Amino acid sequence: ARVQVIVQTFLRNVDCVRDVHTTLMNLILRATLEVLAVEVWCDDLKSVVDRLTSEYEHKVSFASLAFLSSPDKSADTHLAPLLTKYFEYLQSNYKSLTAECELERMLRTIIDADLRQFFKNATFHSVGHILDVCRSYRESLDNIALPPPWKEGVFGMVGGGDVTVEMDEAISRYVNNATLVKQALRDLRREVITVNGQVLPPAHSSMELAEYLGQILNSNQLTNSLSPRKSIQRKVSKKKSKKKFSNYTSDFGLEDESDFASGGETDNSVASKIDVGIVDVLTRRLLIAASRTGAGGDAYFVVRDLFGGDEVEVVPHHSSKQHSQGTIEIIVKLSSVIIKSHAKFDIFPKPIVSDSDALIQFHTTTTETISLQHDRARGDDATVTVLKEKKTNMSGWRTLAIRPAYYERVIHQ
């Protein structure tokens, strides 16, 4: 029935030969959105429909030239079978196509249309050219807003509704899914996680992860690192250390994330304010941050969309060297907790061969700030102050920054 509706609508709306391609593509793509129940179509689907339409045009042109059939008969003879085959293709590849369409919708939502169009059409002639272009678009590349994963359907949730309820339900559903948590913990063990500079041991369960976080958050080392005296010492050290400028073609690269000074927000009683509630919040957020459909996945898809193409491939960077800093950093302050997820991506020419070098490397940092509020609770012997997450309309939103790695200019003799 759907095929016949498209055929009849096509015959009613096409006026001349030059309208065939555009009219037929629009009809098929709109029907595709209904079948897949998505808002936008992905590039792969558009290419498939374009080939289908071109094949129909070719068959109709041949039949018309040979005076073999009328337009109505050609549509029934040639278009209907092509459409039937196409909708069978949609059914057999429903899951992967839906995922691709949802990814396209996300990319359209988070990346400025003009920025995306520019990089998709740009032709780079050298590493220096890429660096210059990225420098000119630095403000945009440093501030790509990523919506909460529960609004993007990562956990099977649909956006809208009450922020707090939606967020709590989505996170609870995720952390109670044994399969997802097992994979997240496996991913976390591949990362180097630091909490205010202290390395978090690898965990094999959610309870173990929470235990390790609690030990670090309540350790004397964390208390000392956030004390006013230490904060003053860090400020003095920062004044003494001046930035060293070298002969680089780019001032890009990940910022130094090893300075965990928290300014005037610190005090000597910080350890007593760390409660099991904030440990639970951090445990849940870390599991989400580890999800490859979460922070790491978003960064990869955005870099691939902006800097990938028909002739190059974006590949997550793999290194056997020890990390000088955590690939996931947790920075604890009295008013907030900041989670930074770092990643690196190499751009290789196609086809990729085992001994080929990357054309360029991009660094990404995905940052989430969890606002905290101080609540008083009745303890066993006295009233204590506990830290809880302060939920707002911006809870769960993250910021993605993309920068090329440092490249040293080589002066030829």
Side-chain angles (χ1 to χ4, degrees), residues 17-34:
V17 174
R18 68 172 178 269
D19 293 336
V20 169
H21 199 93
T22 302
T23 303
L24 186 55
M25 273 200 71
N26 286 337
L27 285 172
I28 298 175
L29 287 172
R30 288 174 184 171
T32 300
L33 298 183
E34 294 179 7

Side-chain angles (χ1 to χ4, degrees), residues 86-159:
Y86 172 72
F87 286 114
E88 289 174 353
Y89 160 76
L90 292 184
Q91 290 179 343
S92 60
N93 297 276
Y94 177 83
K95 196 170 183 178
S96 61
L97 290 174
T98 301
E100 284 295 317
C101 290
E102 283 300 306
L103 174 60
E104 175 64 21
R105 181 186 65 82
M106 183 199 78
L107 292 171
R108 290 189 189 184
T109 302
I110 67 178
I111 306 176
D112 177 77
D114 293 336
L115 179 74
R116 194 180 184 206
Q117 187 69 19
F118 172 81
F119 278 101
K120 277 185 171 293
N121 296 329
T123 300
F124 299 110
H125 306 290
S126 65
V127 170
H129 184 202
I130 297 177
L131 297 177
D132 290 338
V133 171
C134 289
R135 188 180 292 111
S136 65
Y137 283 90
R138 179 167 180 168
E139 183 65 25
S140 298
L141 293 174
D142 268 2
N143 296 282
I144 299 175
L146 302 177
W150 47 88
K151 283 189 175 296
E152 290 303 307
V154 173
F155 308 138
M157 298 293 292
V158 178

Side-chain angles (χ1 to χ4, degrees), residues 128-336:
H129 184 202
I130 297 177
L131 297 177
D132 290 338
V133 171
C134 289
R135 188 180 292 111
S136 65
Y137 283 90
R138 179 167 180 168
E139 183 65 25
S140 298
L141 293 174
D142 268 2
N143 296 282
I144 299 175
L146 302 177
W150 47 88
K151 283 189 175 296
E152 290 303 307
V154 173
F155 308 138
M157 298 293 292
V158 178
D162 182 80
V163 173
T164 301
V165 174
E166 179 184 83
M167 175 178 168
D168 289 342
E169 287 181 355
I171 294 178
S172 295
R173 183 182 301 181
Y174 179 80
V175 298
N176 289 325
N177 186 312
T179 303
L180 294 177
V181 170
K182 184 178 180 180
Q183 181 59 49
L185 288 167
R186 187 180 295 118
D187 291 335
L188 276 178
R189 288 194 292 274
R190 299 192 189 105
E191 310 286 355
V192 177
I193 306 170
T194 60
V195 182
N196 283 35
Q198 298 184 60
V199 177
L200 188 72
H204 292 80
S205 68
S206 300
M207 292 182 62
E208 197 173 52
L209 178 62
E211 181 182 351
Y212 291 152
L213 277 170
Q215 289 173 357
I216 290 182
L217 289 172
N218 289 290
S219 68
N220 291 330
Q221 188 175 344
L222 179 68
T223 307
N224 293 334
S225 71
L226 293 176
S227 69
R229 181 175 299 177
K230 292 289 182 179
S231 179
I232 293 171
Q233 289 176 355
R234 277 191 298 271
K235 291 179 181 179
V236 172
S237 298
K238 285 186 70 178
K239 288 181 180 179
K240 288 182 179 180
S241 62
K242 294 183 178 179
K243 184 178 180 180
K244 296 180 180 179
F245 291 93
S246 56
N247 197 22
Y248 282 87
T249 60
S250 172
D251 58 352
F252 283 60
L254 288 177
E255 301 289 352
D256 181 11
E257 305 291 350
S258 60
D259 177 24
F260 299 102
S262 51
E265 295 177 319
T266 60
D267 64 22
N268 286 321
S269 60
V270 66
S272 64
K273 296 176 183 293
I274 301 298
D275 180 70
V276 67
I278 199 61
V279 174
D280 181 60
V281 168
L282 284 178
T283 302
R284 290 166 177 247
R285 287 297 213 281
L286 267 180
L287 291 172
I288 294 171
S291 171
R292 289 312 177 204
T293 53
D298 289 341
Y300 167 74
F301 290 129
V302 174
V303 172
R304 187 186 68 172
D305 187 70
L306 294 178
F307 299 100
D310 296 333
E311 298 180 358
V312 294
E313 188 75 39
V314 178
V315 179
H317 178 73
H318 297 286
S319 175
S320 58
K321 297 180 180 179
Q322 283 291 103
H323 297 278
S324 59
Q325 62 180 34
T327 52
I328 296 180
E329 293 182 89
I330 302 175
I331 305 169
V332 181
K333 302 180 180 182
L334 288 185
S335 63
S336 64

